[in-house]
Amino acid sequence: MLKANNLRKTFSPGTVNEKFALNGVSLQLAERDFITVIGGNGAGKSTLLNAIAGVFPIDSGDIFIDSKDVTKYPEHKRSQFIGRVFQDPIMGTASSMTIEENLAMAHRRGKPRGLGWGITNDERALFIDHLKILGLGLENRLTSKTGLLSGGQRQALTLLMATILKPRLLLLDEHTAALDPKTAQTVLDLTERIISENQLTVIMVTHNMKDALKTGNRIAMMHEGDIILDIGSDEKKSLHVSDLLEMFEKASGDQISSDRMLLS
Amino acid sequence: MSIDIIGTLSIGLLWGVMAVGVYITFRILDFADLTAEGCFTLGAAVAARLITVGASPIASTLAAFAAGAAAGALTGFFHTKLRIPPLLSGILTMTGLYSINIRSMGMKPNIPLMYDNRTIMSDFAKMFSISNKIAVFCVALICVSIVIFILWWFFNTEIGYAMRATGNNENMIRALGVNTNVTKMLGLMLGNSLVAFSGALIAQFNSYSDIGMGIGTIVIGLAAVIMGEVIFSDKNSYKGLIAVVLGSISYRFIIALVLELSRLPTTDTRGISSIVLAIALALPLIRKSLIRKKPPASLEREVA
């Protein structure tokens, strides 16, 4: 379904700040794969997601979605395949626009926009149905600005926005990292539910190793811009966090570099 | 003391069209666009020139509108294609427009509209046989109403949503499939066409266009935007637009009042404009410090 071959990306090439963010990383996803991606700070996890989403052009390599070469597609054109949720809750919605306006824009993801009404009555009814599923009472606040929502509410809404048109690929970039533990759990539960109900193909970046083990059918570990471990569902089920740490050290020849990852 | 109520209302409405244009670029698109300074004069110059060569006032005004859109497109080109920062893109267009404006006026720094030159206002007065002053007010009100109605509709369309989101959260709307270069370009064209439209109306109202008449446009426009927000605080679609026009009217009354009380010459208007805008911008801070000086009684005891 997704095929990313030998992706390379260097930021600020030729300067003292030169950073090899992606070092020939390859990743293939089958239909309905749900892969979690872990790794230390600066391992290239977010860069990988952004490269797939087309936020910046890559230096070399190619990306196929449904065997269509999208390597040269700009970000807005790739959006027809891809739904995204970001780490920062502020990033996911237009804060001075209302809940229904945000959902209406998401409902037109990747489609040409014209001079028709930005939202229709049919859509409103649809949004109410979907918002009820979130169980946050947002269905009664359609005309509230999203800037008034809490971080957890916004992430839940962003998740709904990313999936209201079923995406071919869902990219979650540490979307629970900025939330308190309880809210993070709620959003994660919701994430799993939406993914299984819609049978989505997903890449989820996380700092939380427990979450990474618990959710999804595959787990990948990144180090210095490459995937150094990719574990399938059979082996993954029997793994513990301590096993993961051990495997990481063996594969990278390095201590785990992120304190956040150890602490969580 | 006497303030010309109808006259001040009319001026507030006519300049209100310009303020709405500034509101679109500065607030909705979040683009600090200085094109307006040159664009206001451009509208006035184009309309005055066309009227003096015998074109119909409405056609001349529409031509000014189109010229403004072209100026906005130029700024948009500098920014989206050549990747020049917003402020500098606007300054480039604004500066270049000075030469274009002089050329549009036939290499002269001003064009007076003579008694026998028609204007939208004089046509309107003749058509309904009303006084010029009432005609100006009616034309101003009609123009503002049409602009607000069309913008209200536009900002509720799919493209309108995309444009509002571009100024609000560019990354997010790009992730939802919008080419933000297009929405920025459209927003700059729309905003500046309204600024030029307002310039064309003011030229006909004043019976002249002058190369210096656009100086201070941004300050006057922003003063109206901020006052609209402070006094009628609502940033929602059409209410926000109406608030800007009301802000523009309030601003004109303040200027009229200050000039009346102080007996200053009208050339001091722009100085007063800057002071009014500075105060309006500082209002949130002033308000906060006033509140801090008077903490609730219970708190005071605790601190003591």
Side-chain angles (χ1 to χ4, degrees), chain B residues 144-166:
Chain B
V144 167
S145 307
I146 292 174
V147 164
I148 288 186
F149 178 77
I150 291 177
L151 289 181
W152 169 81
W153 164 77
F154 176 73
F155 284 121
N156 279 300
T157 64
E158 293 171 341
I159 296 180
Y161 273 30
M163 193 183 287
R164 286 158 61 201
T166 301

Side-chain angles (χ1 to χ4, degrees), chain A residues 9 50 117-118 139 156 163 174 188 221 254:
Chain A
K9 178 70 190 177
N50 287 336
W117 290 112
E139 64 273 16
T163 53
E174 298 195 47
L188 193 62
M221 211 177 236
D254 201 353

Side-chain angles (χ1 to χ4, degrees), chain B residues 241-259:
Chain B
L241 295 168
I242 294 176
V244 173
V245 175
L246 293 177
S248 170
I249 294 171
S250 319
Y251 165 81
R252 284 295 153 186
F253 272 100
I254 290 177
I255 296 285
L257 194 69
V258 173
L259 289 179

